[in-house]
Amino acid sequence: MKPFMDRDFLLETETAKHLFHDFAERQPLVDYHCHISPREIYENRRFENLTEVWLGGKQSDGSFFGDHYKWRVMRSNGVPEDYVTGDRPAYERYLKFVEALQLAIGNPMVHWCNLELRQFFGVEKPLTPENAKEIWDVCADKLQNDPSLTVRGIIEKANVAFIGTTDDPADSLEWHEKLAADPTLKVKVCPSFRPDKAINIQKPGFVAYIGKLAASVGKNELASVEDVCAALVERLEFFAKLGCRASDHGLDYIPFRPASKEQVNAVYAKALRGEAVTVEESEQYQTAVLLCLGRAYHRLGIAMQLHYSCYRNANERLFAALGPDTGFDMIAQTSCGIQLAQLLSALDKDSACPKTILYSLNGVDNDMLGTLAGCFQSDETPGKIQVGSAWWFMDTRDGMQNQLRSLANLGLLGNFVGMLTDSRSFLSYARHDYFRRIFCNLVGGWVENGEFPNDENALRRIVEGVSYANAARYFAL
């Protein structure tokens, strides 16, 4: 029997072990899409205990911040909500999570948590209810006193080279400006452009948000779609000055329904009056804004990330009580591959298709996205159109393997830009280790099965590329 999560965890062949330990493990991390706070990086926050860093909770503004992956594990064990996101004592909340974790066999959460404990706290024992207090005390002492376990210390310990946070177009980027001016910062931290609220014309809060966007560019109102686009591009250019490398769009599905300026402005005026817009009308508006932004991304060298196929806030009662991003989202079944291709084609006709990374939350789309990506590659950069890493509910071992195999079958796996955390937790950099082990095991298996030459130079280029170098090139680091 193999020991639990030893040095060669998930590495099943000698080639896999060599590729991971000699090539992948030492590479820096490019976390090009995440949800951590630039303010906490600037202020170099220090967490008090594992509950703060793992489970989070309610913030001063009434919203909730934490790892909703872990919240779902607790809810699946019947844990009352006041232990999950509520104000129960920190240790009691932690213990409820540990108790649930013992039933999570086969769930990557078991691996992630134990990797984090080993990488950042030197805890080699598997986390159990029996040793939970001992591990709590060890970690609390280090979090409170070890200079290497502040937020910046954690980032440095994880060997992170670049962080791309997720930021609203109307954000002042105050904390990014402070980070950019801080000579002591050892990692590059840049904003990423997330314009969903300006695009989702059909969703509540759109009119109020347009007012906020107008204020961010010094205007009283945005009277037309052209005004909205101009405001977004102005903000995007400001983001670019602070090093923005990527945008991010979290859409229910990818629309493509071109319409005249007059038609789109009629839809926009209707929404500003507080009237409901139809699905067709919202798609007309969304298409116009996406095309405008796509051209701007290409001009500024900013990668466009498109995330779709998530049905959000499925539990209406708990969404009303807790708000968005609290663990009540699910995989959706959408069929928008043709519309996505039409969007990229429309941009390509104008020689304005940006670098694009495509993510579907539904693993069924992997092969479709792989074939779509092959239609729009160009000599601007290797792997210009990327099938993004297994996202959210798909970043399990099976989900990662399926995405990697699909990409290998239909594209060039050696040009893949690799893993990201997409996380709200500073400790989740251990997930890069998890991904690299899975990747090296897959490649090592192909080599040992005689499916790829045992060519040291080629394998090194592939492994180091997917671990770090491809993302560094793609995002111009």
Side-chain angles (χ1 to χ4, degrees), residues 433-454:
D433 180 280
Y434 194 60
F435 166 81
R436 289 174 178 182
R437 289 173 182 272
I438 291 167
F439 174 70
C440 289
N441 190 61
L442 190 64
V443 173
W446 287 334
V447 172
E448 296 217 359
N449 286 336
E451 298 175 54
F452 191 84
N454 187 19

Side-chain angles (χ1 to χ4, degrees), residues 210-211 214 217 219-231 261 264-270 272-273 285:
I210 291 299
V217 293
K219 294 183 180 296
N220 294 323
E221 64 176 359
L222 301 176
S224 66
V225 176
E226 290 80 6
D227 288 347
V228 173
C229 288
K261 289 182 180 180
V264 177
N265 273 310
V267 173
Y268 179 66
K270 184 177 179 181
L272 290 186
R273 293 194 300 268
Y285 169 84

Side-chain angles (χ1 to χ4, degrees), residues 269-314:
K270 184 177 179 181
L272 290 186
R273 293 194 300 268
E275 299 176 26
V277 297
T278 66
V279 171
E280 292 78 9
E281 288 172 333
S282 67
E283 290 178 355
Q284 290 174 343
Y285 169 84
Q286 290 175 315
T287 300
V289 178
L290 285 170
L291 287 171
C292 166
L293 287 173
R295 296 183 186 102
Y297 298 148
H298 182 267
R299 174 172 60 85
L300 295 168
I302 290 172
M304 176 170 67
Q305 297 182 96
L306 296 172
H307 289 85
Y308 74 96
S309 216
C310 176
Y311 179 67
R312 298 177 185 273
N313 312 316

Side-chain angles (χ1 to χ4, degrees), residues 398-461:
D398 287 347
M400 291 181 191
Q401 288 176 334
N402 291 339
Q403 186 268 351
L404 290 167
R405 286 195 178 99
S406 174
L407 180 53
N409 282 331
L410 298 168
L412 285 184
L413 182 58
N415 280 335
F416 179 40
V417 294
M419 183 61 175
L420 50 91
T421 64
D422 190 23
S423 176
R424 292 164 170 78
S425 171
F426 285 95
L427 296 184
S428 61
Y429 294 117
R431 296 179 194 177
H432 281 259
D433 180 280
Y434 194 60
F435 166 81
R436 289 174 178 182
R437 289 173 182 272
I438 291 167
F439 174 70
C440 289
N441 190 61
L442 190 64
V443 173
W446 287 334
V447 172
E448 296 217 359
N449 286 336
E451 298 175 54
F452 191 84
N454 187 19
D455 181 326
E456 185 84 350
N457 290 332
L459 291 170
R460 180 171 193 150
R461 180 180 177 185

Side-chain angles (χ1 to χ4, degrees), residues 153-448:
I154 290 168
I155 291 168
E156 291 174 22
K157 187 183 283 282
N159 194 22
V160 181
F162 175 81
I163 296 171
T165 63
T166 302
D167 306 273
D168 187 271
D171 193 300
S172 70
L173 300 186
E174 168 193 1
W175 300 104
H176 279 285
E177 290 183 316
K178 291 182 177 181
L179 286 167
D182 185 349
T184 68
L185 188 66
K186 297 180 181 178
V187 60
K188 193 168 189 64
V189 183
C190 296
S192 297
F193 193 73
R194 181 72 175 254
D196 293 356
K197 293 178 181 177
I199 293 175
N200 290 328
I201 191 172
Q202 78 284 15
K203 294 192 175 182
F206 173 76
V207 175
Y209 180 76
I210 291 299
K212 184 177 180 181
L213 179 62
S216 74
V217 293
K219 294 183 180 296
N220 294 323
E221 64 176 359
L222 301 176
S224 66
V225 176
E226 290 80 6
D227 288 347
V228 173
C229 288
L232 288 171
V233 172
E234 180 177 334
R235 296 303 299 164
L236 180 64
E237 290 173 342
F238 175 60
F239 273 56
K241 289 177 181 177
L242 285 170
C244 175
R245 302 300 205 280
S247 68
D248 180 48
H249 297 264
L251 300 167
D252 297 339
Y253 61 93
I254 309 301
F256 189 76
R257 192 180 292 270
S260 68
K261 289 182 180 180
E262 292 76 17
Q263 288 174 303
V264 177
N265 273 310
V267 173
Y268 179 66
K270 184 177 179 181
L272 290 186
R273 293 194 300 268
E275 299 176 26
V277 297
T278 66
V279 171
E280 292 78 9
E281 288 172 333
S282 67
E283 290 178 355
Q284 290 174 343
Y285 169 84
Q286 290 175 315
T287 300
V289 178
L290 285 170
L291 287 171
C292 166
L293 287 173
R295 296 183 186 102
Y297 298 148
H298 182 267
R299 174 172 60 85
L300 295 168
I302 290 172
M304 176 170 67
Q305 297 182 96
L306 296 172
H307 289 85
Y308 74 96
S309 216
C310 176
Y311 179 67
R312 298 177 185 273
N313 312 316
N315 188 320
E316 295 179 19
R317 176 180 61 84
L318 288 172
F319 166 63
L322 300 176
D325 303 319
T326 50
F328 300 104
D329 307 322
M330 59 176 275
I331 294 169
Q333 294 175 306
T334 58
S335 55
C336 59
I338 291 174
Q339 290 82 357
L340 177 52
Q342 290 171 326
L343 176 69
L344 295 182
S345 184
L347 292 166
D348 182 72
K349 285 179 185 177
D350 295 336
S351 299
C353 184
K355 292 181 291 186
T356 303
I357 308 179
L358 307 169
Y359 309 82
S360 173
L361 196 54
N362 192 336
V364 171
D365 289 346
N366 282 340
D367 287 355
M368 177 274 288
L369 292 178
T371 58
L372 187 156
C375 296
F376 295 97
Q377 304 293 6
S378 81
D379 59 4
E380 290 180 46
T381 187
K384 174 182 173 179
I385 312 298
Q386 293 271 331
V387 179
S389 63
W391 169 45
W392 200 345
F393 298 123
M394 294 295 99
D395 62 0
T396 61
R397 185 181 185 185
D398 287 347
M400 291 181 191
Q401 288 176 334
N402 291 339
Q403 186 268 351
L404 290 167
R405 286 195 178 99
S406 174
L407 180 53
N409 282 331
L410 298 168
L412 285 184
L413 182 58
N415 280 335
F416 179 40
V417 294
M419 183 61 175
L420 50 91
T421 64
D422 190 23
S423 176
R424 292 164 170 78
S425 171
F426 285 95
L427 296 184
S428 61
Y429 294 117
R431 296 179 194 177
H432 281 259
D433 180 280
Y434 194 60
F435 166 81
R436 289 174 178 182
R437 289 173 182 272
I438 291 167
F439 174 70
C440 289
N441 190 61
L442 190 64
V443 173
W446 287 334
V447 172
E448 296 217 359

